Amino acid sequence: MASSHSSSPVPRPGSGGRDRFYHKDRDPSPPRCRPVRSLPDVCPKEPTAGEGRGLCDGPSVVAEHDRWTVYSSKVNLPAALNDPRLAKRESDFFTKTWGLDFAETEVMPSFYLPNITREHFGPYLQEMAQRERIHERCKTICPNKDDVDAVSSITTNHDKSRAELEQVPKIFMKPDFALEDPATFNTVLPWSHFNSAGGKSSRDVASSKLLQEKLSHYLDVVEVSIARQISLRSEAFFHAMSSQHELQDRLQETQRAVAILRGRTAAMDRVMCQGPLRALRTALTRNNCVKLHNKLKLMAAVHQTQPTVQLLLSTSEFVGALELIATTKEVLQQELQGIHSFRHLGSQLCELEKLIDKMMVEDFSMYARSDLNRSLREEPQVLEKVHKPNAVSEKERLESLVFGLLRQRKLDFLDIYSDEMILAAKTIVSQCVAESVLYIEEIDTEVVTKLADQMRLMTFPQWFELLKIVFETFILFLQRIKATLNVIRNVVLEVLDSNQKNRLLEEASLRPSGQESSRGSSFLQGEAELAYLTHEGLFISDALNEAQQQHVAVQDQSSVVGSRIQPTRTEAAGSESGTTETSVSSEQSFMSGENMMPTDLELNRVISSIQELLHVASDVSHDRCVKVLTARAKDGSLERLSSAEFVCLSQAVEGFVRDTEELCDRHSVSLRGALQSQANRFVHRFHEERKTKLSLLLDNERWKQAEVPAEFQDLVNSIADGRITLPERKTPGPDDRKPTEFLLVSGQKYAVVGTVLLLIRIFLEYCQCVNDIPSIATDMLTRLSDLLKHFNSRSCQLVLGAGALQVVGLKTITTKNLALASRCLQLVVHYIPIIRAHFETKLQPKQFSVLRHFDHITKDYNDHIAEISAKLVAIMDSLFEKVLSKYEVKAPMPSACFRNVCKQMAKMHEAIYELLPEEQTQMLFLRINTSYKMHLKRQLARLGVVNDGGPQHGLVVVDVAFYTENVQALKSLERLDLNMAEIWEQKR
């Protein structure tokens, strides 16, 4: 029965000899940890006074082996064998003593027994298979006589008992037979056979006796069948009884062996174990005391958390306070979990942490408000020095606040700074206006309360000075914001750099050094013996794991207490004594809160938000300056500025915009847009004034040659030198040059009227505005082209259209007026390419399309000049037609008609010679001569004069020679080829 648990070692099959034992190979995988159950003692002991127990509280098999008797057994053998709770009677022998779970407990197989499989019996089965088949064949052919007799007797008895049992009704054989059931009871005892109406009759008595005999017969049949079955199994019963006696003998031998073993074990326990175990118990007690002392010190440190946090908050050490709270919460969850006195400390720390979050947000808002509202001129950008001892500078305070907000992942603190910045920007304009109004006596601030109305009451110099003060103040404002944001950016960059360093340290910590491994192994070797002897389990691996966990717990506890809580309290004490922590210490304490640390992505977003906030500051500053501009321009005062004043305004705005772009790296468009809008209005007024002035000049122009003052000649000379600007006005002096008759331009003389001289100065003013305000180049070009078109069209109306007769009262439009107008138009055409080149330097390449206006203007001017030339020819043509229509070929010669023509030709030459250049004069007279030949030829044809050498031909030749001589006698027409031979009709 017990041999299955105490098998002797089996020799290893194969080579290795007889004396070697088979050792079962261990499974390389780690063994499963099964719950170890302590086994109750088979032989319970009686308590003895004065004897101590071992390390375990279970029953001892050492000291009380002689106390047990057979009567100490809890359950006797028949009761154990007849246990009705189990179906298998042979498997519950020990269950009454050792418990019901004993038979079902999985027992680890012995390492010294091999795993026997079917393959081990393969050779034996192959060897015995043939013999088994022969044996079975022999049994079939020749059965055993005893077996045949036994089988026949058993079959006979079985058939007989079966027949007897069939006499018993089936209802008694049912497994659910119960007399309590009325139907069953009525079937077994049929009371219907008895007469219940009257008394007992003889028939009823006979029926009851018959029923009783029948039931007794059924009982006898069943008892006989049971006795027969017992007789058939009597041999097995007696065999079991004999086995029981043999088992009792073996148990007695086992009892004697156990008594001897207990005696020897008691001696070993008394001599060798009690002293060492007492030493080990003392060592364990000391270790427990050390752990308890460390735990109490940890509890004392945790108890001081709240006062320490209050002390850190008093010195603005938000990061240290938050780190202390986080460390304390971690200690409460790990080392001090379940401590009743600290059951409310966790919730208190959470509330304190929320309070610190609110304090940091409020302090940051107060810092932003006070920093932005400080004097921008008297105090530096970021206060780094402190005048009070043991005080924290503003820069350190800001760094501490930013570290704390980042640690708590309050990444929206820049929105608070943005709101305060917008409010401060609004206040700047109000303060500047209020300070400027104080020095202006003409403005009563009690009557005029609105800032916009006060600004409109200022003169332009006063308002312009205010605008420059606003610009200067906003530059200082942006410089302070940039300095503050740089401090915040440096803090974020430090945190980002520390994140990367932490990751490198974590990666390095994942690869432990050989020294640490050897230290750990030596510890395990030193503690293994103690752990094994004091461990209550069955396996040494569990003991080593438990010892290692205890060692790690001690190290964690010492590290938590030594490196987290105590340094934080030391920092608090240092702060109380007057020392302040720098940003490096804040960064180190910040790095310990790894769980709350923002990710690199979040930190990069904060950095981009800082740059965006600087851009927002630039936009806000420009918007507030736009308010100043629009408030002044509401009544149109900026449109009425002079060119010089508007140029000063434009230069101031452009300078402010450039400064903000360099400072904030932001291209803000609001202020430039407002200036562009005002510039458009200024350009419109500028153009309308000059167009009106030009119209007035043209309406009063008498189209006579004007003298050219020296300043206009100098102006033209400066344009020739490439300076497209207005020269400074010179005060008149005694040595000034006298005016000249002609304007010298590139070596040519131009006879001009006074309007054209002023027109040159006007378009130079347009060019000067473009130089000063490049943003209005396209608008100014369009307006200048409109001005030039207006001059061309208006001069055409006054000269060619004879509008000057009604406007200025001229009697007639003379050839001299026409020639002078043509020469003025030629002067403007000369300057159009120069103006175009100047504007081209001020335009962007994508704006070059607007230069086509100059091409259209040049074409219009050339057409106008051609029309004036045609008008001069037409004047002489009408004269030729009128005079030559009266021509008669008769003496005296030269005729009066030709004398009149030559006289008119001389007047024409005298009128235009000094006004037009020589080439134009020659071309004009060629055209006039062509017209003369056409009219003369027509008149000769009408008179019938032909080239026949007759008297009339001779007279005409004399007149033509007179005409040719007179025309060629005119200045600059000496070499003019008149070619008068075309006037003659050929002879018929």
Side-chain angles (χ1 to χ4, degrees), residues 386-619:
V386 291
H387 303 289
K388 297 180 180 180
N390 303 332
V392 180
S393 67
E394 292 295 325
K395 182 179 180 181
E396 293 175 350
R397 180 188 174 194
L398 176 60
E399 291 175 346
S400 177
L401 284 171
V402 174
F403 271 119
L405 292 170
L406 289 177
R407 187 191 183 281
Q408 294 302 104
R409 306 178 79 91
K410 301 289 183 180
L411 305 181
D412 56 346
F413 63 93
L414 292 177
D415 297 338
I416 301 173
Y417 193 84
S418 177
D419 297 338
E420 296 296 336
M421 176 187 67
I422 295 173
L423 293 176
K426 294 180 180 179
T427 308
I428 286 175
V429 177
S430 303
Q431 290 178 350
C432 292
V433 174
E435 292 175 359
S436 299
V437 171
L438 290 176
Y439 301 101
I440 302 176
E441 298 178 355
E442 294 80 3
I443 300 176
D444 189 358
T445 56
E446 296 180 358
V447 178
V448 183
T449 58
K450 293 184 178 180
L451 298 179
D453 297 337
Q454 294 175 0
M455 284 189 285
R456 283 192 287 272
L457 292 176
M458 295 180 182
T459 62
F460 177 76
Q462 294 171 345
W463 178 83
F464 186 66
E465 189 66 26
L466 168 65
L467 183 64
K468 290 193 293 184
I469 293 174
V470 171
F471 286 163
E472 181 182 356
T473 306
F474 272 113
I475 291 296
L476 297 174
F477 177 70
L478 292 176
Q479 288 176 352
R480 175 169 296 177
I481 291 176
K482 185 175 182 180
T484 303
L485 293 180
N486 283 336
V487 174
I488 298 175
R489 181 187 288 107
N490 292 334
V491 173
V492 178
L493 291 176
E494 288 178 5
V495 174
L496 187 61
D497 183 59
S498 299
N499 279 355
Q500 297 175 355
K501 291 180 180 178
N502 265 357
R503 280 199 300 273
L504 294 177
L505 292 176
E506 289 176 0
E507 292 175 359
S509 64
L510 294 178
R511 299 185 294 271
S513 61
Q515 182 178 2
E516 293 176 354
S517 300
S518 61
R519 187 182 299 114
S521 60
S522 63
F523 162 75
L524 291 179
Q525 290 176 359
E527 298 291 335
E529 204 172 300
L530 175 61
Y532 178 69
L533 291 175
T534 58
H535 188 66
E536 296 181 0
L538 298 177
F539 306 107
I540 186 63
S541 60
D542 296 338
L544 294 177
N545 290 335
E546 182 180 355
Q548 186 176 6
Q549 290 174 1
Q550 292 177 357
H551 177 65
V552 172
V554 171
Q555 286 184 343
D556 292 342
Q557 180 177 349
S558 62
S559 63
V560 168
V561 177
S563 65
R564 292 188 179 181
I565 296 182
Q566 296 300 334
T568 307
R569 296 180 61 189
T570 305
E571 291 175 4
S575 301
E576 186 179 7
S577 61
T579 60
T580 59
E581 298 295 331
T582 62
S583 61
V584 177
S585 63
S586 299
E587 175 192 350
Q588 292 174 353
S589 63
F590 173 82
M591 288 301 104
S592 61
E594 295 180 0
N595 295 332
M596 300 297 293
M597 185 189 308
T599 62
D600 291 352
L601 180 60
E602 292 174 337
L603 293 175
N604 289 325
R605 287 177 181 172
V606 173
I607 293 175
S608 62
S609 299
I610 292 173
Q611 187 63 34
E612 291 176 0
L613 185 58
L614 188 60
H615 294 169
V616 170
S618 176
D619 294 341

Side-chain angles (χ1 to χ4, degrees), residues 122-387:
Y124 173 77
L125 292 176
Q126 292 178 359
E127 181 180 354
M128 300 301 295
Q130 184 66 25
R131 296 183 183 180
E132 183 181 4
R133 286 194 295 272
I134 296 173
H135 176 69
E136 292 295 333
R137 192 182 303 115
C138 292
K139 285 176 61 178
T140 305
I141 297 173
C142 300
N144 191 1
K145 183 176 182 298
D146 296 336
D147 293 341
V148 173
D149 295 340
V151 169
S152 61
S153 62
I154 292 173
T155 303
T156 303
N157 293 332
H158 178 70
D159 294 340
K160 185 178 179 180
S161 62
R162 184 179 183 86
E164 292 176 352
L165 287 175
E166 288 179 354
Q167 298 176 5
V168 180
K170 300 298 183 181
I171 191 172
F172 294 102
M173 301 300 177
K174 290 183 179 180
D176 57 346
F177 176 82
L179 286 176
E180 294 85 356
D181 187 7
T184 303
F185 186 80
N186 292 330
T187 303
V188 176
L189 300 174
W191 294 105
S192 60
H193 292 230
F194 302 100
N195 185 10
S196 59
K200 293 183 179 181
S201 62
S202 59
R203 184 181 177 182
D204 294 337
V205 173
S207 297
S208 61
K209 288 182 179 180
L210 181 60
L211 180 60
Q212 184 177 2
E213 290 177 0
K214 185 186 294 186
L215 294 176
S216 300
H217 176 67
Y218 293 159
L219 179 60
D220 294 339
V221 170
V222 173
E223 288 180 351
V224 169
S225 178
I226 292 174
R228 186 181 295 113
Q229 293 295 330
I230 292 175
S231 64
L232 291 176
R233 290 168 175 77
S234 60
E235 184 178 355
F237 176 76
F238 289 115
H239 179 71
M241 293 299 295
S242 61
S243 298
Q244 179 71 17
H245 292 305
E246 184 179 358
L247 179 60
Q248 289 181 356
D249 295 340
R250 292 187 180 180
L251 287 175
Q252 290 178 359
E253 293 178 359
T254 303
Q255 179 186 1
R256 288 192 294 271
V258 169
I260 296 172
L261 178 62
R262 286 185 175 182
R264 294 179 179 176
T265 308
M268 294 174 61
D269 175 60
R270 184 174 57 258
V271 175
M272 302 179 62
C273 297
Q274 290 182 359
L277 286 177
R278 189 180 298 109
L280 294 177
R281 189 180 298 108
T282 305
L284 287 176
T285 304
R286 181 182 181 278
N287 291 335
N288 291 334
C289 292
V290 171
K291 293 178 182 178
L292 178 61
H293 181 255
N294 293 333
K295 191 73 71 175
L296 291 175
K297 289 196 298 182
L298 185 60
M299 292 176 65
V302 170
H303 183 67
Q304 295 296 322
T305 299
Q306 290 179 329
T308 307
V309 168
Q310 297 294 337
L311 184 61
L312 290 172
L313 293 179
S314 64
T315 57
S316 298
E317 285 292 336
F318 298 105
V319 179
L322 290 171
E323 175 59 25
L324 179 58
I325 291 174
T327 305
T328 305
K329 290 169 65 177
E330 183 180 353
V331 171
L332 287 175
Q333 293 175 359
Q334 295 180 1
E335 282 80 7
L336 301 181
Q337 187 176 9
I339 302 298
H340 186 72
S341 59
F342 290 152
R343 65 187 182 279
H344 300 304
L345 184 58
S347 60
Q348 293 174 359
L349 292 177
C350 292
E351 293 298 329
L352 187 59
E353 188 174 7
K354 293 179 182 178
L355 178 62
I356 293 175
D357 292 346
K358 187 181 296 184
M359 288 177 58
M360 287 192 298
V361 173
E362 292 178 355
D363 283 5
F364 184 80
S365 178
M366 292 176 59
Y367 173 83
R369 189 179 303 111
S370 62
D371 180 66
L372 294 173
N373 292 327
R374 285 189 291 110
S375 175
L376 294 171
R377 293 178 175 83
E378 298 176 0
E379 298 182 0
Q381 297 174 357
V382 180
L383 296 177
E384 298 186 3
K385 297 181 180 180
V386 291
H387 303 289

